[in-house]
Structure formats: structure tokens, C-alpha cells
Amino acid sequence: MTLLFQLLVNGLIVGALYGVVAMSFVLIYKASRIVNFAQGEFLLIGAWTCWWLLTSWQLPFWIGFPITLAFMLAFGVILQIVVLRPMIGEPIISVIMVTIGLSIVFQAAMKWMFGVFAKPFPPIFASPTVNLFGLEVQTVYVMSLLISILIMAGFGWFFKYSRTGLAMRATAFDQQVAQSLGISVRHMFAMSWAISAMVSAVAGVTVGVVNGVSSALSFFGIKVFPAVILGGLDSVIGAVVGGLIVGVLENMAHYLDSQWLNWGNMYEIAPFYVLIAILMIKPYGLFGTKDIERV
Amino acid sequence: MANISIIPSGDFKTSYGTDTTIFPTKTSRNFAILGVVLLLACPAFMDRYWLSLLIQIGYLGIAALGLNILVGFTGQISIGHSAFFGFGAFASAWLNNSVGVPVALAIPLAGVVTTLVGLLFGMPAARLKGLYLAIATLAAQYILQDFFARADWFTGGTAGTIAEPLTLFGFAFDTDESYFYVVLVAMVVMYLLATNLMRTRDGRALVAVRDHYLSAEIMGINLTKYRTMSFGISAFYAGIGGALYAHYLQFVSVEGFTILFSIQFLGMIIIGGLGSIMGTLMGTAFMVFLPEAMQALTKLVSGTAIDTALNLKDNIAFLREMSIGLVIILFLVFEPDGLAHRWKQIKAYWKLYPFSH
């Protein structure tokens, strides 16, 4: 029974991270209608950057981490301007293919620069575990959950109360109207990519601290798909809910697997079965906007 | 009008049939025949290395053509093509090893089996379009990869499976020289089939679904039927290509059919040109030669400062991966219509010289 509970907690923690990545994915989709297949590589690049600053430059975490975030902001903006801007108005297949191409390039570049083996972060917290309600939980996990909740709250505030967030929502709703009201749609696109890259990098660093940094991080970008499809492609809340559900679900699949099935990698593959099932039953997800067509 | 040898100045076609003819002039037909004859002579003067590249272009070209029918002609995005390619390879080997079907029959049967699997995953395709379908096929890719690793009875699990060489009337096609003809025949047949499919009512329906599905629906085209059909056709082509690949290498391992391979297929049709049958072949050739070109490049700069700085010897695999991604991006940004379109422009330029249009 403790195993089940442990897995449930695990699922919630990982799910919260999925939720964060899914949110940054949805942010790009909402703002610019681009499906970013390179989302996982954002995690990867952020994590490697932070790792490099901490190990090669021996910077303390509280300096290295903000530098990483600043770098990712710039990276997101530059990427949007150089690669994605020419793709505006192109058919969906082209846009999807460009982000897929980007993901391959980044993936290969990171392997080239840092090798293929996982590398651990230098220890960041004073005590590796903390005692919560009688459970020994790793400090990193607690931190990651806190960070996830913080980011989600930040997103919520950003979209509801800040001018930029409102402008972004307006852009997502109707580009032409937003433009005629004096919102720079270009700025909003660039901004959405920048924020998305930065938030993903936070998730990347968190996962890197837990499991070490390796190319496996970018699989998060793929795992995001079941989450966003479950929640609905254009719903930020849906992304969080979907992420949590996928996280818990894969851990439960793992439990089933270890108890009865003994397939061995149910953990990896369960979300994709769920994904197919959702697409069959409810293609627009739990919170997504339905396109109504009489076809 | 059917037997002219040069293109007349003007459009004198009076029927739909003459307009969609494959070879508008005798010359173009003769050129095509000449090309096939030249290819037939290839094994006589080519070394093993070039032959193996040509064979690769052959079976990959067949599979890529299937993807182009799905993506380029019907406008449905699939990111799981290599899983179907792999399924065809395993199906053919399994039919031959476990069921005892002779290889010559196992290859087309593998295509049929793969079609059924494709239709299974194509079920959501009937309801979904564009992006949602892309994500569904992405899931199919991972599910099938997982299946390959697990189904020991079918794929030999992690050990892989042996595929017997193709034998016809006691003659074994187990060398590059002889297998080249097998692939060539299969390729000519499959390409002709696809070309002719696009000239039929059904083929035009597919294009209509791509161009504007609502209008197509209003004109009485059954969207569900044609979306599922194009998914099935694409899986069929992938299966045939995979089966040819299996009996060429005579061994199929579960590792090869990754998402990167699927993306390479997509790269082929984008580089060649979406919705172009000739382009599919050009793009496949491009994609097959690209890693070789990277290899040659590495050889060229070996020992220089660039080589030591980048440590190319150990990182050639990453250079190849990167080149695939870069080529896809560059083509999409600078040459979105692909090589086939460029080729048409070059032809037009020659025809119209010295005028611009």
C-alpha cells in the first residue's frame, strides 16, 4: 500500500512538471497557432546551460539559474524571429515540420556538445531529504512541486491581471482585432516563445537536478502531447489538469505493471494508449474549444 | 494528337484523357524508357557501394511515395511512417519464417497486413484532421515501437529476426546485383500505380479532400472513406518498402524504426515536393545521399583544425542527424515547393528562352 501511495505522490510531482511544460506548449499554440514539437528540447537546452554554468564556471546556483533564464528568454525570441516568423501563413504541415526539424537539430547539437550520458547536477540543497507527514521525501521533489505551483500561479496572474497577459489573450482570440486595438502581434508572438522557452527551462533544470541531465529530458516534450490533448489544446487550465492526470496515470500504470502485468515499460507507453483513446472519444479534450462543423 | 514528338505551341487538348496523360509527347516517353534501360544496365558497371545506395533509394522511395500520397495528396499529416515501414519488414519475415509463405508472396502480403494495421490506426484519422492526426500518428509510432520490442513471436524481440533471401524458381536474389532488379521492378510498378491512381476519380477525390474538405464533402465526396483509404494506401506502400528492405538486409532489428526515421521520410517528401510523384524520388535520393555527403565532408576536413575543434570522428552520427534537421528547415524556409518544382522551373526556362514567360 505504501508503494501505491508513494507512486501517487510521485505521479503528482511529475505530473505537475508535465503540467508546467504543457502550459508553455499551450501558450505558444494559443498565441501563434504553432504546434511546437521542439518543446522538449527547450527543457534540454535550459538544463544543459544551467549545468554548464554550474560545473564549468563553478557559479553558485542562485547566480547560474537566473543567467540560464535570461539566456532562454533571448533564445526564445531569436528563434521566433529567425525561424518561425517566415513560416507565418504557411500550411500547418510546414510549420509542424519546421519545429520537428528544430528539435532534431537541437537534440543532435546537445549530444554533440555534452555527450550522450546523463550528468548529475552538483548538490544544491543542504539536506537531501525532508520529512513530510512521516514520509521521507527528497528535497528536490518538494522544491519541484513548489516551483510548479508557483509557475502555475504566475501564469494565472499573468493572464488575468497583467497588461501583457491580457494583450496575449487578445492576440490568441483574434489577431486582427488585437492588431487594430494597437497590440503588436509580432511582439506577442516573440513574447510567447520567450516565456515558453524560459518556463520549460525551469522544468528542465528541475528534472535535471532530480535525474541528471541527458537527452532523455526531451522525451518530456513528447509526453506533453497526451497531456495537452487530454486537457484540450488551447486551454491553460486543461494543460495543468492533463499534465497531472498523465503523471498519475503513468505511475498507476507502472504499479499495475509491477504487480500483475510485468511488461516492463508500461510506464513509458501508457500515456500513448490513453492519447489514442481520447482522440477517439473526445478529440477536443476536457477544456478545449470545440470546432463546430457539420461534416 | 497523341503521337507528336515535340510540344506544340499552344494547348490543343480536347479531352480530359489527353490532358492527364503520363507522357504528353513521344520524346518524354522515350526518355522515361531510356532511364529505365540505363538503370537496368547499372549492375554491369557500378560497384557495390553505389548499387546499395540505389537499392536504398528504391525501397525507401516506395515507402516515401506512400507517405506522399497521404501527406502531399490528401493533406493528412503522419509522423509514424517508419513504424509501418518496420511493420512491413517484420510481417514479411514472419510470414516467411513462421507461416511458410514463399518470399515472393510474403512481400505483397506484408503490404496487405500493414494496410490492415494502418487502417486500425487510421480509424481516428477518419474523424481527425491536420494537427490532431499528427499527434495520433505520433502515438502510433511509439505504440508500434513498443510492440516490436515486446512481441517476441513476431519480431524476435530484442534479438531481431532473420529474413530469408528472395528466391524465384530456384534462383536466389541474395547479391546486390540481382536484388537491384527486384527493387527496380517493384519500384516501377509501385510508381506507375501511384501515377495512375492520381489520374483516376479516386485520386482526384483525394486531392479535393486536401484542397478544401468542405467543398469536397458538398460535391459528394465521402470524407471518411477517402481519408481512411489514403491512410490504408500509405500503409500499404510502407509495408511493401519495409518488406523489400527486410529481404535485402536479410535481418530486421527492432532498433531501427525510430521517430527519427519517420522524420526522415517526411524530410524526403518535403525536399522532393509535396504532392509530386517525381519529387518523391528526388527527395529520397537527396536523403540517401545526404549522410554519404556528410561522410565525404568529414573525410575532406579530417586532420584540419576544424576536425580537431569539433572532434568529427566521434561525432559523425550527430552531424548526420543535425544535417537532416537543418536540410528540412532550410528547404521549408527557402524552397518550400521542393526539388520537383525547381525542376519544372528549369524546364520552363529552357523551353521559353529567351523570353521570361
Side-chain angles (χ1 to χ4, degrees):
Chain A
M1 208 56 229
T2 43
L3 174 69
L4 190 62
F5 187 68
Q6 188 73 45
L7 281 174
L8 189 70
V9 172
N10 245 351
L12 283 174
I13 289 165
V14 176
L17 280 171
Y18 285 154
V20 167
V21 182
M23 262 186 346
S24 43
F25 175 92
V26 168
L27 177 66
I28 287 181
Y29 182 76
K30 257 181 104 82
S32 54
R33 294 283 149 192
I34 288 175
V35 179
N36 183 14
F37 275 82
Q39 197 72 44
E41 277 66 28
F42 285 174
L43 274 81
L44 197 60
I45 292 169
W48 277 124
T49 309
C50 196
W51 178 88
W52 182 71
L53 288 171
L54 263 58
T55 50
S56 297
W57 292 80
Q58 299 294 341
L59 292 173
F61 186 77
W62 60 270
I63 295 178
F65 190 59
I67 294 178
T68 306
L69 293 190
F71 168 76
M72 287 309 281
L73 265 179
F75 175 79
V77 172
I78 290 167
L79 192 67
Q80 203 277 331
I81 289 173
V82 175
V83 184
L84 279 310
R85 198 160 281 179
M87 300 312 293
I88 290 176
E90 291 282 324
I92 187 168
I93 166 95
S94 308
V95 180
I96 286 183
M97 279 310 296
V98 162
T99 58
I100 289 178
L102 282 176
S103 97
I104 296 180
V105 171
F106 293 146
Q107 181 80 261
M110 291 292 129
K111 281 184 197 159
W112 197 335
M113 284 193 242
F114 299 105
V116 286
F117 300 109
K119 295 192 176 153
F121 258 91
I124 289 168
F125 303 109
S127 67
T129 60
V130 284
N131 200 324
L132 274 183
F133 316 116
L135 271 176
E136 282 287 307
V137 191
Q138 284 197 327
T139 320
V140 181
Y141 281 132
V142 181
M143 278 310 291
S144 98
L145 195 60
L146 282 177
I147 288 173
S148 305
I149 291 167
L150 204 78
I151 291 175
M152 288 172 192
F155 258 77
W157 175 85
F158 175 79
F159 280 123
K160 230 177 163 58
Y161 299 108
S162 75
R163 278 186 73 84
T164 319
L166 280 175
M168 207 173 270
R169 264 168 61 197
T171 312
F173 189 74
D174 191 330
Q175 279 173 28
Q176 276 185 330
V177 171
Q179 204 145 15
S180 63
L181 290 172
I183 295 167
S184 165
V185 171
R186 282 178 165 204
H187 280 192
M188 287 308 131
F189 283 2
M191 180 93 77
S192 66
W193 277 81
I195 293 173
S196 185
M198 189 178 83
V199 171
S200 299
V202 175
V205 170
T206 314
V207 182
V209 171
V210 178
N211 301 340
V213 191
S214 75
S215 301
L217 266 180
S218 60
F219 202 61
F220 259 68
I222 302 289
K223 279 278 173 74
V224 157
F225 285 105
V228 291
I229 290 289
L230 184 59
L233 255 177
D234 47 6
S235 158
V236 177
I237 308 221
V240 176
V241 175
L244 284 172
I245 293 176
V246 167
V248 170
L249 194 125
E250 64 178 20
N251 274 283
M252 289 302 114
H254 185 59
Y255 178 73
L256 277 179
D257 200 11
S258 61
Q259 298 294 318
W260 294 289
L261 288 173
N262 297 320
W263 278 14
N265 57 349
M266 211 41 213
Y267 182 86
E268 292 287 350
I269 214 77
F272 295 110
Y273 283 110
V274 173
L275 174 64
I276 295 271
I278 298 162
L279 284 175
M280 297 285 272
I281 303 159
K282 210 172 155 51
Y284 297 107
L286 300 169
F287 303 93
T289 318
K290 279 194 178 63
D291 293 345
I292 296 171
E293 337 177 298
R294 294 179 180 258
V295 174
Chain B
M1 283 306 286
N3 288 326
I4 43 174
S5 52
I6 44 172
I7 298 177
S9 59
D11 205 344
F12 301 114
K13 291 170 180 123
T14 49
S15 73
Y16 209 84
T18 49
D19 198 32
T20 57
T21 180
I22 302 180
F23 302 121
T25 59
K26 269 188 198 163
T27 322
S28 63
R29 185 198 61 198
N30 294 344
F31 260 106
I33 292 170
L34 181 73
V36 174
V37 169
L38 270 181
L39 279 173
L40 282 173
C42 270
F45 60 82
M46 270 191 181
D47 62 359
R48 193 54 68 78
Y49 169 75
W50 284 98
L51 266 185
S52 76
L53 284 186
L54 284 183
I55 292 173
Q56 271 187 54
I57 292 172
Y59 61 70
L60 291 176
I62 291 174
L65 182 59
L67 188 63
N68 212 344
I69 289 172
L70 181 66
V71 180
F73 286 106
T74 325
Q76 306 266 33
I77 306 166
S78 165
I79 317 182
H81 204 63
S82 78
F84 295 114
F85 183 84
F87 198 91
F90 284 122
S92 187
W94 178 76
L95 281 168
N96 180 246
N97 295 337
S98 307
V99 187
V101 182
V103 177
L105 268 179
I107 292 176
L109 267 181
V112 174
V113 175
T114 314
T115 311
L116 295 177
V117 176
L119 288 177
L120 185 74
F121 282 104
M123 285 294 182
R127 287 186 58 190
L128 304 169
K129 4 178 256 288
L131 166 66
Y132 286 94
L133 182 67
I135 295 170
T137 50
L138 184 81
Q141 164 86 36
Y142 283 105
I143 288 172
L144 277 175
Q145 252 179 280
D146 181 58
F147 169 76
F148 292 155
R150 182 159 321 153
D152 284 9
W153 56 272
F154 183 62
T155 63
T158 43
T161 182
I162 303 284
E164 297 296 325
L166 171 66
T167 43
L168 267 182
F169 313 114
F171 179 76
F173 291 89
D174 50 3
T175 59
D176 283 24
E177 285 81 5
S178 57
Y179 201 79
F180 175 84
Y181 292 110
V182 177
V183 174
L184 182 65
V185 168
M187 209 184 89
V188 169
V189 169
M190 297 301 269
Y191 270 69
L192 274 178
L193 275 177
T195 312
N196 281 326
L197 170 75
M198 286 310 144
R199 297 165 68 206
T200 60
R201 191 186 153 87
D202 288 332
R204 288 197 297 275
L206 293 180
V207 176
V209 170
R210 173 194 71 189
D211 285 345
H212 204 264
Y213 67 96
L214 261 177
S215 311
E217 176 88 351
I218 288 161
M219 288 167 79
I221 290 169
N222 183 341
L223 286 188
T224 310
K225 176 185 152 187
Y226 281 108
R227 278 182 183 152
T228 320
M229 186 179 103
S230 95
F231 219 90
I233 293 171
S234 132
F236 177 73
Y237 271 78
I240 298 279
L244 287 168
Y245 154 88
H247 296 292
Y248 172 56
L249 285 191
Q250 292 167 31
F251 176 79
V252 195
S253 88
V254 291
E255 269 87 45
F257 310 110
T258 55
I259 186 104
L260 183 69
F261 192 19
S262 287
I263 291 163
Q264 269 180 293
F265 275 127
L266 278 165
M268 286 171 202
I269 63 173
I270 280 170
I271 289 163
L274 289 172
S276 154
I277 290 181
M278 262 314 288
T280 310
L281 202 52
M282 292 177 184
T284 310
F286 191 100
M287 225 11 146
V288 170
F289 288 131
L290 182 71
E292 308 302 323
M294 288 295 139
Q295 190 96 17
L297 193 76
T298 316
K299 270 214 185 80
L300 201 70
V301 298
S302 75
T304 57
I306 303 171
D307 186 30
T308 36
L310 296 175
N311 190 11
L312 280 176
K313 201 179 283 302
D314 306 337
N315 291 321
I316 180 78
F318 306 140
L319 180 70
R320 283 176 170 188
E321 262 183 60
M322 234 168 138
S323 66
I324 292 168
L326 271 178
V327 160
I328 290 174
I329 295 171
L330 292 175
F331 260 91
L332 281 167
V333 175
F334 296 109
E335 188 83 290
D337 293 328
L339 291 170
H341 180 72
R342 180 59 58 185
W343 172 237
K344 273 198 194 110
Q345 281 181 322
I346 292 168
K347 276 203 301 199
Y349 176 83
W350 276 109
K351 210 161 75 179
L352 300 169
Y353 188 84
F355 306 109
S356 57
H357 56 78

